[in-house]
Amino acid sequence: VRRTQAGDLILLISADDKKFLLKLAGEGELHTHQGILQHESMIDVPLGTVVHSHLGEPFLLLRPTLQEILLNTKRKSQIIFPKDIGYILLRLSIGPGSTVVEAGTGSGALTTALAWAVGPAGRVFSYDSREDMQALARENLERLGLEGRVRLIVRDIEEGFEQRDADAVFLDLPNPHDYLAQTREALCNGGTLGSILPTTNQVAQLVRALREHGFQSIEVCELLLRFYKTLPSRLRPEDRMVAHTGYLIFGRSLHE
Amino acid sequence: VRRTQAGDLILLISADDKKFLLKLAGEGELHTHQGILQHESMIDVPLGTVVHSHLGEPFLLLRPTLQEILLNTKRKSQIIFPKDIGYILLRLSIGPGSTVVEAGTGSGALTTALAWAVGPAGRVFSYDSREDMQALARENLERLGLEGRVRLIVRDIEEGFEQRDADAVFLDLPNPHDYLAQTREALCNGGTLGSILPTTNQVAQLVRALREHGFQSIEVCELLLRFYKTLPSRLRPEDRMVAHTGYLIFGRSLHE
Amino acid sequence: VRRTQAGDLILLISADDKKFLLKLAGEGELHTHQGILQHESMIDVPLGTVVHSHLGEPFLLLRPTLQEILLNTKRKSQIIFPKDIGYILLRLSIGPGSTVVEAGTGSGALTTALAWAVGPAGRVFSYDSREDMQALARENLERLGLEGRVRLIVRDIEEGFEQRDADAVFLDLPNPHDYLAQTREALCNGGTLGSILPTTNQVAQLVRALREHGFQSIEVCELLLRFYKTLPSRLRPEDRMVAHTGYLIFGRSLHE
Amino acid sequence: VRRTQAGDLILLISADDKKFLLKLAGEGELHTHQGILQHESMIDVPLGTVVHSHLGEPFLLLRPTLQEILLNTKRKSQIIFPKDIGYILLRLSIGPGSTVVEAGTGSGALTTALAWAVGPAGRVFSYDSREDMQALARENLERLGLEGRVRLIVRDIEEGFEQRDADAVFLDLPNPHDYLAQTREALCNGGTLGSILPTTNQVAQLVRALREHGFQSIEVCELLLRFYKTLPSRLRPEDRMVAHTGYLIFGRSLHE
């Protein structure tokens, strides 16, 4: 069984099922509704240990899942939902060893998922024109110790990407149609572009531009996630659901 | 730019957009509607090369995406759809280095995605009581060179799993509710169980059993994927869609 | 152009688009956030007239649509949503001259729609075991002057319906499967039963009972209504939607 | 119990559940896969009778439901689906006595539903520039004996509608945005316009025009209808569904 160490991102679950995500540091304290916990007391203990606040309240110490990490991203902007991120990773074929370019970084939720998925052998290059957003994304990545896999680049991508032969490029911008020439330069032959857009007008504009730039296998889709109430004798969907996060658009860049 | 070598799984795209997935072997031949291609002529060439059949027809040689691989799984049974696999990987937090247990193996589509996502540092243990299914799954894994990350085990999981401290267990069986004690033994503290079931009756039965076995954070959901026609001046959903693949069920095993 | 008369149910729309539904009576007053309106001043005026409150604020006087009436039903219980009522009316073939039986009456939203659709030549028989619910439904029907088309019956339908040869029977109860013999007695040959149920468990139970009682053309469905934001240059779905109101179940009673 | 008469539209159901819709005429014959039936033998018999073909095969004789009639509309063009028609009738508040204008007539499925819903006291005015479509719609209406409630008008609605003070106008045309001035002239104060359009581009164009023409309470929505398999011990959605029929758009015309 793994033991925690300073720098780990951990999850604490209180007896009343509240969750706390924190990065263990030598001298920190976590203040909760059920008392204070010293970081020091949570270092070098086995995952799954029950630790106690100064009030004696129990907290279960675990490793957070990627979904818990993503939903806890510190944000200054709308983040991409886990349901969409799961499909994006699969559709862009992002896995251990992949090289992927992203613009814009935003709060870094997708950046985090990309860095997590490419593993230590992969590389993520993430562009944003705003330094403050990149600072926030860096903070989010550092909580996870993933900053080593990501290069954050402040630059107007109008000037192009620095990378060539990337496996995938993801454009999370209002006007991806303006950067398709730059995207094709950065992608390997057969590499995939992805994008997410909220409005049908933007989708139509991007699809038109993808055709003009010679992208193939263009796909537009949307994912609807419906949750169910979990009473087994009264199984039924929840009353309300998210009706829209964004349309997902994909295309393959083929040279020759 | 990467060059192909014997043993690689590659994708060929014909001029009329037909796709062929094949594993390069020294002496093989691929027969297509546009002529024959010798494997030998496709070894040690750069990805992105245009190769020609004996009729002179061009084929673009690329690396396949995970989605293309999954949709091409040789199957004797229903496979899990990519939309569900993407969410399962994220929700179970399967990434480089993960240890995951699966039952049953079936045709091995999810097994393939798990092996792909855990990377060289991860491990997949996949159980099935039928040897013929495991032989098929092995064949599917070998096409990708992923068989080294997977241990295929023929065993009735009524007897329990051999693993302990797994990050996640996925049960792709008609009666997952019968194996929750075994699942809890195999999972690490805080580890996640996932399952996919076609009928509401099965979901109710599993949710009831999850509660009885003390699983936490039980979630039941379904994902609807809707594609759009890609004419920019006539943007609209496709006429028909898949209405149901299965309900996804997740729960966390907490000890203590 | 029609003129209003005492007893009409009318709709007032304020300048800031607030809607007020009221039944015109000789001496009443309507108190709003923009002043008071005398009923008397709204009688014998053309529909479409702008009337003014004692503060001089304008209100447009119109005839309400059925949807506005339904959404304004005074309620003590969950009412059936318009999206479902529209489909139920069509599916049960309720139109001018139809004879339809309903149980239970509840707050009377569906009763209202049925009475509205069958016209002066049709008949609605609505059962409920609770007198207070029927009193509320009566009040809702009287606002519209539709009470003459409806007979409200306080009775436990375990004892059977009084009608025979009805075109349709709608069961809005938690346990419709308990009343299928009674329903068949009340329906004409080829007549249709409809029901709405919130949980999958209830649906399974009803479908089983429908088969046992020899109903044909059994159909189970659900309707999802998704609204869009109406900015033409940023057309996109609303962020959230109703994920579930109920499953609709239909079956045809065939004698012989 | 009602008895059939010459001119009735009836439904025959064979023992293997095939359905036949026909209008009873004195001397006609119906040829089926299970033999021939003389119309004469089906006149003046009670609804619910079992009649027999010349081969002795039984057929149950019933009155068809509106849905069966709509799905059997003879068509030269795409018809509006029952799920959408149910919501349109409710949303436009079409009931006994309503006056409604429609353009274009098309094959007449919606025309039929409108004529059916307005009853003998209502009126439908349906415009189409193509005489052949109106001839087909007339044929569909005559099968039902509903032609007396409908005036079919061959005219380019660019010139305007002949009606004033209509309760509702429904535009089933590719370019409804071109006829909003004409629509406002035809509608009563507070009357509702409805339209159905397949593409997001058309919806954006119509919404823009509705705003320019001063329509209020603009609503854009879509209805998804999902069917379930009706095995009670294996309750689950059908594998596939209709993903799109059209977007529904509504707006209220307010004068003053």
Side-chain angles (χ1 to χ4, degrees):
Chain A
V1 172
R2 282 146 288 201
R3 302 181 78 87
T4 58
Q5 52 187 79
D8 280 359
L9 187 71
I10 60 153
L11 177 75
L12 292 176
I13 307 180
S14 66
D16 58 345
D17 211 34
K18 295 278 181 300
K19 294 176 178 179
F20 302 88
L21 210 64
L22 71 157
K23 189 182 171 77
L24 293 176
E27 298 165 14
E29 282 184 349
L30 174 72
H31 291 249
T32 80
H33 65 306
Q34 297 195 333
I36 300 170
L37 294 115
Q38 303 296 329
H39 281 215
E40 203 164 21
S41 69
M42 298 184 279
I43 291 176
D44 196 26
V45 302
L47 286 168
T49 297
V50 173
V51 294
H52 293 86
S53 73
H54 81 291
L55 298 175
E57 297 293 339
F59 288 78
L60 184 60
L61 187 160
L62 296 171
R63 198 166 41 161
T65 65
L66 177 58
Q67 171 148 300
E68 285 160 343
I69 293 166
L70 294 177
L71 293 176
N72 267 281
T73 301
K74 289 183 196 174
R75 65 191 74 176
K76 289 186 187 174
S77 57
Q78 178 62 46
I79 65 166
I80 304 181
F81 277 54
K83 72 174 171 78
D84 294 317
I85 289 180
Y87 191 69
I88 290 167
L89 292 178
L90 188 98
R91 195 59 186 66
L92 295 187
S93 214
I94 306 295
S98 298
T99 298
V100 55
V101 173
E102 176 198 33
T105 310
S107 302
L110 179 61
T111 322
T112 298
L114 293 170
W116 183 85
V118 301
R123 290 290 283 154
V124 179
F125 301 91
S126 186
Y127 290 76
D128 206 299
S129 54
R130 284 177 56 182
E131 290 203 34
D132 61 326
M133 296 309 284
Q134 294 227 326
L136 177 62
R138 179 170 291 110
E139 193 183 329
N140 278 313
L141 289 163
E142 285 173 350
R143 287 202 310 174
L144 284 156
L146 291 177
E147 71 279 11
R149 302 172 185 179
V150 180
R151 211 170 113 224
L152 293 166
I153 304 164
V154 177
R155 175 168 171 172
D156 181 347
I157 62 168
E158 178 70 33
E159 305 162 29
F161 298 105
E162 298 173 18
Q163 290 67 41
R164 295 295 177 271
D165 207 30
D167 296 312
V169 171
F170 194 84
L171 299 180
D172 184 11
L173 304 157
N175 57 335
H177 59 277
D178 284 335
Y179 308 113
L180 296 187
Q182 294 87 332
T183 295
R184 271 173 73 79
E185 277 190 340
L187 277 173
C188 72
N189 198 355
T192 306
L193 160 109
S195 189
I196 185 166
L197 290 169
T199 75
T200 61
N201 316 69
Q202 289 166 299
V203 173
Q205 205 166 11
L206 177 54
V207 170
R208 184 171 291 115
L210 285 168
R211 292 181 179 283
E212 288 167 5
H213 283 82
F215 281 81
Q216 301 288 312
S217 306
I218 298 170
E219 179 184 306
V220 175
C221 62
E222 60 177 337
L223 270 170
L224 292 166
L225 176 60
R226 186 154 78 143
F227 288 103
Y228 282 69
K229 297 190 180 182
T230 56
L231 289 178
S233 61
R234 295 190 51 73
L235 184 68
R236 47 158 293 180
E238 292 283 349
D239 293 313
R240 294 185 65 78
M241 65 186 280
V242 172
H244 187 63
T245 53
Y247 299 100
L248 298 174
I249 305 96
F250 301 99
R252 189 173 223 156
S253 175
L254 294 184
H255 309 160
E256 275 309 271
Chain B
V1 171
R2 283 147 287 199
R3 302 181 78 88
T4 57
Q5 52 187 79
D8 280 0
L9 186 71
I10 61 152
L11 177 75
L12 292 177
I13 307 180
S14 66
D16 58 345
D17 212 34
K18 295 278 180 298
K19 294 177 178 178
F20 302 86
L21 210 66
L22 71 157
K23 189 181 171 78
L24 293 176
E27 298 164 14
E29 282 184 350
L30 175 72
H31 292 249
T32 81
H33 64 307
Q34 297 194 333
I36 300 170
L37 294 115
Q38 303 296 330
H39 281 216
E40 202 163 22
S41 68
M42 299 184 279
I43 292 175
D44 197 28
V45 302
L47 287 167
T49 297
V50 173
V51 294
H52 294 85
S53 73
H54 81 292
L55 299 175
E57 297 292 339
F59 289 78
L60 185 60
L61 186 161
L62 295 171
R63 200 166 40 162
T65 66
L66 177 57
Q67 171 147 301
E68 285 160 342
I69 292 166
L70 294 177
L71 293 176
N72 266 282
T73 301
K74 289 183 197 174
R75 65 191 73 175
K76 289 186 188 175
S77 58
Q78 178 62 46
I79 65 166
I80 304 180
F81 277 54
K83 73 174 172 79
D84 295 316
I85 289 180
Y87 191 68
I88 290 167
L89 292 178
L90 189 99
R91 195 58 187 67
L92 295 187
S93 214
I94 306 294
S98 298
T99 298
V100 55
V101 173
E102 176 198 33
T105 310
S107 302
L110 180 61
T111 321
T112 298
L114 293 170
W116 183 85
V118 301
R123 290 289 284 153
V124 179
F125 301 91
S126 186
Y127 290 76
D128 205 299
S129 54
R130 284 177 57 182
E131 290 204 34
D132 62 325
M133 296 308 285
Q134 293 226 326
L136 177 63
R138 179 169 291 112
E139 193 184 330
N140 278 314
L141 289 162
E142 283 173 351
R143 288 204 307 176
L144 284 156
L146 291 177
E147 70 278 11
R149 302 173 185 179
V150 181
R151 211 172 113 224
L152 294 166
I153 304 165
V154 177
R155 176 166 170 174
D156 180 349
I157 61 168
E158 177 70 35
E159 305 161 28
F161 297 104
E162 298 172 18
Q163 290 67 42
R164 295 295 176 273
D165 207 30
D167 296 311
V169 171
F170 194 85
L171 299 180
D172 184 11
L173 304 157
N175 57 336
H177 59 276
D178 284 335
Y179 308 113
L180 297 187
Q182 294 86 332
T183 296
R184 271 173 73 80
E185 277 190 340
L187 277 173
C188 73
N189 198 355
T192 306
L193 161 107
S195 190
I196 185 167
L197 290 168
T199 75
T200 62
N201 317 70
Q202 289 166 298
V203 173
Q205 204 166 11
L206 177 54
V207 170
R208 183 171 292 116
L210 284 168
R211 292 182 179 283
E212 288 167 4
H213 283 82
F215 280 81
Q216 302 288 314
S217 306
I218 298 170
E219 179 183 306
V220 175
C221 63
E222 59 177 338
L223 270 170
L224 292 167
L225 176 61
R226 187 155 77 144
F227 288 102
Y228 282 68
K229 297 188 179 183
T230 55
L231 289 178
S233 61
R234 295 189 52 73
L235 184 68
R236 48 158 293 181
E238 293 281 351
D239 294 312
R240 296 185 63 79
M241 65 186 279
V242 172
H244 187 64
T245 53
Y247 299 101
L248 298 174
I249 304 96
F250 301 99
R252 189 174 223 157
S253 174
L254 293 184
H255 309 161
E256 274 311 272
Chain C
V1 171
R2 283 146 287 200
R3 301 181 78 88
T4 58
Q5 51 187 80
D8 280 0
L9 186 71
I10 61 153
L11 177 75
L12 292 176
I13 307 181
S14 67
D16 58 344
D17 211 34
K18 295 279 180 298
K19 294 176 178 178
F20 302 87
L21 210 65
L22 71 157
K23 188 182 171 76
L24 292 177
E27 298 165 13
E29 283 184 348
L30 174 72
H31 291 249
T32 80
H33 65 306
Q34 296 194 335
I36 300 170
L37 294 116
Q38 303 297 328
H39 280 216
E40 203 164 22
S41 69
M42 298 184 280
I43 292 177
D44 195 27
V45 301
L47 287 168
T49 297
V50 174
V51 295
H52 294 87
S53 73
H54 81 293
L55 299 176
E57 296 292 340
F59 288 78
L60 185 59
L61 187 160
L62 296 171
R63 199 165 43 161
T65 65
L66 178 59
Q67 172 149 300
E68 285 159 343
I69 292 166
L70 294 176
L71 294 175
N72 265 282
T73 301
K74 290 184 197 174
R75 65 191 75 175
K76 289 187 186 173
S77 58
Q78 178 63 44
I79 65 166
I80 304 181
F81 277 55
K83 72 174 172 77
D84 294 317
I85 289 181
Y87 190 69
I88 290 167
L89 292 179
L90 188 99
R91 196 58 185 67
L92 295 188
S93 212
I94 306 295
S98 299
T99 298
V100 56
V101 174
E102 177 198 33
T105 311
S107 303
L110 180 60
T111 320
T112 298
L114 293 171
W116 183 86
V118 301
R123 290 291 282 155
V124 178
F125 301 91
S126 187
Y127 290 76
D128 206 299
S129 54
R130 285 178 55 181
E131 290 202 36
D132 61 326
M133 296 309 284
Q134 293 226 327
L136 177 62
R138 179 168 292 112
E139 192 183 329
N140 279 313
L141 289 163
E142 284 172 352
R143 289 202 309 174
L144 284 157
L146 291 177
E147 70 280 10
R149 302 174 185 178
V150 180
R151 210 170 114 224
L152 293 166
I153 304 165
V154 177
R155 175 167 170 173
D156 181 348
I157 61 167
E158 176 70 33
E159 306 160 30
F161 297 104
E162 298 172 18
Q163 290 66 44
R164 294 296 176 271
D165 206 30
D167 295 312
V169 172
F170 194 84
L171 299 179
D172 184 11
L173 305 156
N175 57 335
H177 59 275
D178 284 335
Y179 308 113
L180 296 187
Q182 294 87 331
T183 296
R184 271 172 74 78
E185 276 190 339
L187 278 172
C188 72
N189 199 356
T192 306
L193 161 108
S195 189
I196 185 166
L197 291 168
T199 75
T200 61
N201 316 70
Q202 289 166 297
V203 173
Q205 205 166 9
L206 177 54
V207 170
R208 184 172 291 116
L210 284 169
R211 292 181 179 283
E212 288 167 4
H213 283 81
F215 280 81
Q216 302 287 313
S217 306
I218 299 170
E219 179 183 306
V220 176
C221 64
E222 60 178 337
L223 270 170
L224 293 166
L225 177 61
R226 187 154 78 143
F227 289 102
Y228 282 68
K229 298 189 180 182
T230 55
L231 289 178
S233 61
R234 296 189 50 73
L235 184 68
R236 47 158 293 180
E238 293 283 350
D239 293 313
R240 296 183 64 78
M241 66 186 278
V242 172
H244 187 63
T245 54
Y247 299 101
L248 298 174
I249 304 95
F250 301 99
R252 188 173 224 158
S253 175
L254 294 185
H255 310 161
E256 278 305 276
Chain D
V1 172
R2 283 146 287 200
R3 301 181 78 88
T4 57
Q5 51 188 78
D8 280 359
L9 187 70
I10 61 153
L11 177 75
L12 291 177
I13 308 181
S14 65
D16 58 344
D17 211 34
K18 294 279 180 299
K19 294 176 178 178
F20 302 87
L21 211 64
L22 71 157
K23 189 182 172 75
L24 293 177
E27 299 163 12
E29 283 185 349
L30 175 71
H31 291 250
T32 80
H33 65 307
Q34 296 193 334
I36 300 170
L37 294 115
Q38 303 297 328
H39 280 217
E40 204 164 21
S41 68
M42 299 184 280
I43 292 177
D44 196 27
V45 301
L47 286 168
T49 297
V50 174
V51 293
H52 294 86
S53 72
H54 81 293
L55 298 176
E57 296 292 340
F59 288 78
L60 185 59
L61 186 161
L62 296 170
R63 200 165 41 162
T65 65
L66 178 58
Q67 171 147 300
E68 286 160 342
I69 293 166
L70 294 176
L71 294 176
N72 266 282
T73 301
K74 290 183 197 175
R75 65 191 74 174
K76 289 186 187 174
S77 58
Q78 178 62 46
I79 65 166
I80 304 181
F81 277 55
K83 73 173 172 76
D84 295 316
I85 288 180
Y87 191 68
I88 290 166
L89 292 179
L90 188 99
R91 195 59 186 65
L92 295 188
S93 213
I94 306 295
S98 297
T99 298
V100 56
V101 174
E102 176 198 33
T105 311
S107 302
L110 179 60
T111 320
T112 298
L114 293 170
W116 182 86
V118 301
R123 289 291 283 154
V124 179
F125 301 91
S126 187
Y127 290 76
D128 206 299
S129 53
R130 284 175 57 181
E131 291 203 34
D132 61 326
M133 296 309 283
Q134 293 226 327
L136 177 63
R138 179 168 293 112
E139 192 184 330
N140 279 312
L141 289 163
E142 285 173 351
R143 287 204 309 175
L144 283 156
L146 292 176
E147 70 279 11
R149 303 174 184 177
V150 180
R151 209 169 114 227
L152 294 166
I153 304 164
V154 177
R155 176 168 168 172
D156 181 348
I157 61 168
E158 177 70 34
E159 305 160 29
F161 297 105
E162 297 172 19
Q163 291 66 43
R164 295 295 177 270
D165 207 30
D167 296 311
V169 171
F170 194 84
L171 300 179
D172 184 12
L173 304 156
N175 57 335
H177 59 276
D178 284 335
Y179 308 113
L180 296 187
Q182 294 87 331
T183 296
R184 272 173 73 79
E185 276 189 340
L187 277 172
C188 72
N189 198 355
T192 306
L193 161 108
S195 190
I196 185 166
L197 291 169
T199 76
T200 62
N201 316 69
Q202 289 166 299
V203 173
Q205 205 166 10
L206 177 55
V207 170
R208 183 171 292 114
L210 284 169
R211 293 182 177 283
E212 288 167 4
H213 283 81
F215 281 81
Q216 301 288 313
S217 306
I218 299 170
E219 179 184 306
V220 176
C221 64
E222 59 177 338
L223 271 170
L224 293 166
L225 176 60
R226 186 155 77 144
F227 289 103
Y228 282 68
K229 297 189 180 183
T230 55
L231 289 177
S233 61
R234 296 188 52 72
L235 185 67
R236 47 157 294 181
E238 292 282 350
D239 294 313
R240 296 184 64 78
M241 66 186 279
V242 171
H244 186 63
T245 53
Y247 299 101
L248 298 174
I249 304 96
F250 301 100
R252 189 172 224 158
S253 174
L254 295 184
H255 310 159
E256 277 307 274

